[in-house]
Amino acid sequence: MATVQIKRTFLDAIARFERTLVTPGSRFDRWLSGDAAALSENEINGYQLFKSLGCVSCHQGVNVGGNLF
């Protein structure tokens, strides 16, 4: 029974943390919406690398953090 409670507490902690990660209007959001000046050249290169390595197969859409869990 203690294992079930630990799992619930752990999952609740993760859910509470993830709710704090909502970032509407972030520079990345603005860049995705067409603001070419919102990201630096290095940041854009990092995003291109992220995509080229296949990370977008799981981390895509408005939640970029992942939609498969």
Side-chain angles (χ1 to χ4, degrees):
M1 189 61 98
T3 303
V4 171
Q5 183 59 40
I6 290 171
K7 183 176 180 179
R8 285 182 184 154
T9 301
F10 179 74
L11 293 175
D12 182 58
I14 290 173
R16 287 173 186 253
F17 170 72
E18 287 182 348
R19 283 193 287 276
T20 69
L21 299 177
V22 177
T23 58
S26 70
R27 291 184 308 112
F28 185 67
D29 290 333
R30 292 193 321 266
W31 182 76
L32 288 175
S33 294
D35 180 355
L39 296 182
S40 71
E41 183 178 344
N42 282 342
E43 290 168 324
I44 294 169
N45 289 339
Y47 183 60
Q48 295 300 327
L49 178 62
F50 176 82
K51 292 191 318 182
S52 73
L53 294 174
C55 300
V56 294
S57 63
C58 294
H59 302 275
Q60 34 64 22
V62 295
N63 296 322
V64 178
N67 299 315
L68 300 176
F69 51 89

